[in-house]
DNA sequence: ACATCTTGTGCACACGTGGTCACATACGCT
DNA sequence: AGCGTATGTGACCACGTGTGCACAAGATGT
């Protein structure tokens, strides 16, 4: 780590309320009041102050304000893997909803190897909250957060801990529904391409598949694990399709499914005539004409909305009991099943 | 905007150095020193303090520290459009490089309609810097930043203003090279699908195309503008290919090219046999087997590295003259030309 | 003219930290 | 013992803000 004292030229300091006060010929308190909506201040004086402030480029220092009331309006957003399209879309939706609440997201990429260190450092700020989107988080960090009173909201993975709220998709139900649709279409020889074993979403989705197969008296013909990427999906599907005779391929997420789709084409297996391919998440790309992927929708807008609601509730009442909201997925029929 | 005073239950305040001092039986100063690398403190006492602090979950409040030395270690990252794969990849690389410098990114999505308001609010924090990745930024914001002494670094678009450093790709050179390659292959009837007119990158890329065409005594057969998305690329290419006879399609970015590629397939035009399609940026997706897109590499890692270097230089010397670094693109031959 | 109420503003404090300064303690040397 | 020096530590201040409190000034009522 580089030394912090290597700055030779000091930065010209920011304009402060004191400076504005002197320039406008009023007291510093009045400047502060001019920027505080509810405060008593003569209308003319307020206008004058705003003019001077605008000219000098003054805005109240959010850091100092936060120091006073213990609320920084900063929210750390920990993203499991920004390289995944689902996570990216999720973050975009989340950031869009955070802004109107006056909350500003500090982004931490869980895919980066220094993520743990990064999160430790970011926790030195008095965060209003820590939002987790997927990924894995050391238990140590969770307990640390609850110890220092930073609320956590986890999306996509249920974290059982005090003061942690959760929003999660009913993963098993998603694949259960999709599998039923395929069985009704007459599919019998199912393969599964999962994600990393450590991810609860992956195991949940697999469980739903097994449920529906059992229900119909079928069993899983072949399976293998990937890492949620297109590349891994391609490799895994190539392996499965060349070693087994399959008529349906359930994938743990859309990226995997897109890789599998490409692999099928490369092998000359026609989709959906002889093989059904189904993904999970319904990322934007799944709807592109090239792929036209049948998938299970893991609704982002709904999830984000719940996250925001939980955040607001938690901020209003920091001591409230933890909540877990489960979201119902639905099947999106397109051209690959 | 919601009132800020609607929090009924006050959050239990953070553990402070004072509390730790009392618990450890030392003075507050000693606690501070225990967390300051260079400071004099008895080794045993330091160890003791660290133990107590760890147990209580204490970490120095970064806000208060920043208030003191005028450096928040926060960096606003304004992204033109996080829905674009290039921007996403850029941000990921940037965030990864920012963390080791102890800088934390506050993400602002320029694609969101409230982006202008958001940036105004975020500027209330004493940011160490504002990094722009593409997109358009009101001149007002730029002058405001320079007025309050927040350094700006723009990537992908040259902003001519005091205290603004720039990193940008030689866009014209990129398409110039690509066009030459296609001309050497015997292509003569070129079409161009641009981006929004307001984007300098789009016009630069078009200029390079025209250069090389003129050089070879050719002229542009047809062109139209999109909005840098796959969908727009698809629509634009469909229009161009059905109304003109073309053997080469130069696209302003990869997303557009991928859309065009799909459109060509849909129309039964064989690529690369009868039509060459070339993109710009070399996003990850361009390398996927499904697309195997020939394109111009707009190197992200190199750009990010320069941004970081400029940032460090600027922080060391806030008054230094502005710099503009131009990056040399190169052609990436794949299967679509 | 005096009392009461309303409205506006300045003072002073708290927030949590890092650093400077002065002071206390201990140690080595003559 | 006396002195100089090295080392450790406590008291204080600055950073920029919001706000409670007290007070001043002006308006209104009797």
């Amino acid at each position: 780590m580089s030394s912090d004292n290597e700055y030779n030229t000091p930065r010209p300091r920011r304009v402060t309320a004191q400076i504005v006060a002197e320039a406008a010929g009023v007291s510093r308190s009045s400047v502060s009041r001019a920027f505080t909506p509810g405060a008593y201040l003569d209308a003319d004086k307020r206008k004058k102050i705003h003019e001077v402030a605008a000219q000098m480029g003054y805005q109240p220092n959010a850091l100092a304000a936060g120091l006073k009331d213990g609320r920084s309006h900063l929210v750390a957003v920990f993203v499991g893997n920004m390289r995944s399209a689902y996570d990216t879309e999720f973050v975009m939706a989340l950031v869009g909803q955070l802004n109107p609440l006056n909350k500003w997201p500090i982004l931490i990429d869980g895919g980066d190897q220094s993520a743990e260190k990064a999160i430790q450092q970011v926790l030195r700020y008095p965060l209003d909250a820590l939002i987790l989107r997927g990924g894995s988080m050391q238990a140590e960090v969770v307990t640390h957060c609850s110890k220092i009173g930073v609320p956590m909201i986890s999306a996509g993975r249920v974290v059982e801990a005090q003061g942690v709220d959760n929003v999660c998709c009913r993963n098993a139900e998603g694949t259960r529904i999709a599998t039923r649709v395929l069985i009704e279409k007459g599919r019998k020889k199912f393969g599964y391409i999962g994600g990393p074993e450590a991810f609860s979403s992956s195991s949940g989705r697999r469980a739903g598949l097994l449920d529906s197969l059992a229900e119909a008296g079928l069993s899983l013909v072949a399976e293998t694990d990937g890492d949620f990427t297109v590349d891994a999906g391609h490799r895994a599907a190539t392996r499965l399709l060349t070693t087994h005779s399959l008529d349906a391929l359930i994938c743990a997420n859309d990226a995997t499914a897109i890789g599998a789709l490409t692999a099928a084409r490369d092998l000359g297996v026609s989709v959906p005539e002889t093989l059904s391919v189904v993904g999970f998440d319904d990322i934007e790309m799944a709807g592109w004409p090239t792929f036209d992927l049948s998938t299970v929708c893991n609704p982002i807008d709904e999830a984000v909305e719940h996250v925001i609601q939980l955040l607001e509730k938690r901020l209003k009442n920091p001591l409230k009991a933890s909540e877990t909201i489960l979201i119902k997925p639905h099947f999106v029929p397109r051209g690959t099943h």
Side-chain angles (χ1 to χ4, degrees), chain A:
Chain A
M1 187 169 304
S2 70
S3 157
D4 277 0
N5 302 335
E6 61 190 24
Y7 308 108
N8 35 26
T9 311
R11 166 138 68 123
R13 285 199 88 91
R14 219 178 143 86
V15 180
T16 150
Q18 179 66 49
I19 312 285
V20 175
E22 284 161 16
V26 299
S27 78
R28 193 191 57 75
S29 311
S30 297
V31 175
S32 177
R33 271 187 264 270
F35 283 88
T36 307
Y40 274 138
L41 189 63
D42 184 68
D44 290 348
K45 198 176 252 187
R46 166 166 279 161
K47 195 180 159 200
K48 173 76 187 294
I49 293 175
H50 273 136
E51 281 171 13
V52 175
Q55 194 200 330
M56 303 179 78
Y58 169 78
Q59 278 188 289
N61 185 330
L63 237 62
L67 178 58
K68 185 68 200 330
D69 67 11
R71 218 173 271 278
S72 66
H73 292 269
L74 295 173
V75 173
V77 176
F78 180 91
V79 189
N81 181 11
M82 274 297 273
R83 255 153 265 277
S84 113
Y86 183 79
D87 280 8
T88 304
E89 292 180 18
F90 191 96
V91 169
M92 285 309 90
L94 180 62
V95 170
Q97 296 297 312
L98 241 26
N99 290 3
L101 293 182
N102 244 333
K103 302 294 172 207
W104 312 110
I106 297 182
L107 188 64
I108 303 171
D109 179 15
D112 198 280
Q113 54 184 8
S114 64
E116 290 293 339
K117 268 185 196 162
I119 208 167
Q120 288 287 354
Q121 289 298 313
V122 170
L123 281 176
R124 296 182 42 160
Y125 293 87
L127 302 173
D128 282 9
L130 171 57
I131 297 178
L132 305 176
R133 159 53 222 158
S136 61
M137 170 73 52
Q138 285 190 344
E140 194 187 319
V141 173
V142 176
T143 58
H144 184 58
C145 277
S146 89
K147 199 182 283 179
I148 63 179
V150 172
M152 297 179 64
I153 300 172
S154 172
R157 202 171 60 90
V158 175
V159 177
E160 301 279 4
Q162 203 192 355
V164 181
D165 295 308
N166 294 282
V167 177
C168 194
C169 177
R170 291 184 192 274
N171 287 306
E173 188 171 341
T175 39
R176 213 178 287 140
I177 298 170
T179 305
R180 279 201 203 110
V181 171
L182 265 56
I183 290 173
E184 277 170 28
K185 284 225 167 184
R187 301 305 189 188
K188 292 194 178 352
K189 297 171 288 181
F190 284 77
Y192 177 69
I193 305 178
E197 226 175 316
F199 284 63
S200 64
S201 58
S202 181
S203 60
R205 291 168 193 184
R206 180 172 180 276
L209 164 62
L210 295 182
D211 280 357
S212 285
L213 287 180
E215 204 176 80
L218 297 171
S219 61
L220 190 59
V221 176
E223 69 178 311
T224 182
D225 279 352
D227 62 2
F228 283 146
T229 66
V230 174
D231 236 37
H234 188 99
R235 285 196 306 272
T238 304
R239 195 161 56 248
L240 289 188
L241 292 174
T242 51
T243 55
H244 296 79
S245 163
L246 301 173
D247 59 14
L249 212 37
I250 306 287
C251 302
N253 75 343
D254 285 350
T256 304
I258 285 171
L261 209 53
T262 310
R265 283 179 188 157
D266 292 351
L267 293 170
V269 178
S270 65
V271 176
E273 289 75 14
T274 57
L275 176 72
S276 292
V277 176
V278 171
F280 203 112
D281 282 345
D282 194 24
I283 60 178
E284 202 191 319
M285 213 185 300
W288 289 2
T290 326
F291 303 118
D292 196 33
L293 179 71
S294 299
T295 188
V296 176
C297 179
N298 181 358
I300 287 181
D301 287 340
E302 199 179 332
V304 168
E305 209 167 304
H306 282 300
V307 168
I308 296 289
Q309 283 170 10
L310 287 173
L311 174 61
E312 288 193 285
K313 277 169 84 172
R314 173 66 64 186
L315 290 179
K316 277 186 197 160
N317 179 9
L319 303 175
K320 83 171 180 67
S322 298
E323 274 181 74
T324 294
I325 291 178
L326 295 176
I327 294 182
K328 201 176 158 178
H330 61 270
F331 186 66
V332 180
R334 290 206 186 91
T336 62
H337 78 283

